Amino acid sequence: MRSRTLKRMAAAIAMTAAAVLAGAAPALAAAGTVHTDSGLPLTVRAAPSTSASAVGSVANGTAVTIGCQSNGETVTGKYGTSDIWDYLPASNGYVSDTYVYTGSDGRVAPDCAGATQSCSTAGTGDPHTCAEAVTWAKAHVHTTYDADYYDYCDRINAWAYGFSASGSTTAYVHWTQIPSGYKHPGDTEVPAGGLAFFSNGGAGHTMISLGGGQFLSNDIHGAGTYTQTTIAEIKSKWGQTYLGWAQPWFKVNH
């Protein structure tokens, strides 16, 4: 996945300055600028999908207001791959976030009504529910070396969900094997129990979400440990590229 960091830096500075002037109150909407690969107008859709009916278009280079954001069809655009879609009140429709410069790699506006994602084991056949997996993970936090936890991120997530192994050779391979309907590329709003995935050109990494932007990961605070961390720490400390999150689907039982 291509990085979307550079495309968002200027907007992030402008938005931060505006927040300071407003007393740092969180905005209910966000600003962005449409940029297309071809320079042609961006089609606005009635729903967050390229197959949804067109309700208008926005010219390349147009500044837009994002009223809310929703998960939808995964799209690869000018700024990477993501399933995040931006609702534009002025156009009464959705555009893929991969064509909008917003100043952030993740969400910048509230969830659209009914768009909040939750962890679900529906269709996965997992022995444990999302809540049970999170409880298991919290009960196994430790700050000393344990050989069973060293370099076994994908297996640890499988343990949390009641399996002895994930069925995948690496975390990155696991990500590639998960059906698209269970994945949310580029989305950093990971519900409790959801699995975050990263790539480093090799085995990659994965960890379980506790919700609220917090995760439990092995090795990040010492070999063989299992401690709390964030997506930002994994990216900065290990140089990993964030791929997105997925429902707890494991190859072992599919």
Side-chain angles (χ1 to χ4, degrees):
M1 182 182 71
R2 292 172 287 169
S3 171
R4 298 192 289 163
T5 301
L6 293 179
K7 67 109 173 180
R8 303 188 184 271
M9 289 177 63
I13 294 172
M15 291 169 67
T16 300
V20 171
L21 292 174
L28 296 180
T33 304
V34 170
H35 291 295
T36 60
D37 292 308
S38 63
L40 296 174
L42 179 63
T43 301
V44 181
R45 303 285 179 179
S49 169
T50 58
S51 62
S53 59
V55 296
S57 64
V58 181
N60 183 51
T62 300
V64 294
T65 296
I66 302 169
C68 61
Q69 293 179 303
S70 177
N71 294 95
E73 179 185 349
T74 298
V75 173
T76 297
K78 187 174 181 65
Y79 300 121
T81 299
S82 179
D83 70 345
I84 299 173
W85 286 67
D86 304 335
Y87 177 76
L88 309 183
S91 302
N92 194 31
Y94 296 84
V95 295
S96 169
D97 189 60
T98 62
Y99 292 106
V100 184
Y101 184 109
T102 64
S104 172
D105 287 337
R107 291 175 181 264
V108 295
D111 289 331
C112 297
T116 301
Q117 295 291 312
S118 59
C119 179
S120 172
T121 55
T124 65
D126 295 352
H128 295 170
T129 65
C130 296
E132 289 170 338
V134 170
T135 297
W136 182 96
K138 289 180 177 179
H140 288 79
V141 169
H142 58 272
T143 58
T144 57
Y145 177 79
D146 184 329
D148 287 337
Y149 285 74
Y150 178 61
D151 211 26
Y152 284 115
C153 57
D154 202 39
R155 187 176 69 179
I156 295 167
N157 284 345
W159 288 344
Y161 276 96
F163 298 111
S164 60
S166 73
S168 304
T169 54
T170 67
Y172 178 71
V173 169
H174 186 173
W175 171 259
T176 65
Q177 292 171 329
I178 298 173
S180 60
Y182 292 93
K183 296 197 290 190
H184 300 275
D187 190 358
T188 57
E189 299 293 321
V190 189
L195 307 181
F197 287 85
F198 301 80
S199 172
N200 61 353
H205 184 62
T206 183
M207 58 187 183
I208 189 170
S209 172
L210 301 178
Q214 299 298 308
F215 299 79
L216 286 177
S217 170
N218 64 316
D219 299 337
I220 189 64
H221 297 135
T225 62
Y226 192 55
T227 55
Q228 192 165 312
T229 186
T230 62
I231 289 174
E233 184 175 27
I234 298 294
K235 290 170 63 178
S236 63
K237 191 170 181 178
W238 284 345
Q240 297 265 0
T241 297
Y242 180 65
L243 298 175
W245 72 273
Q247 300 290 4
W249 184 98
F250 294 91
K251 182 65 175 178
V252 67
N253 66 329
H254 291 90

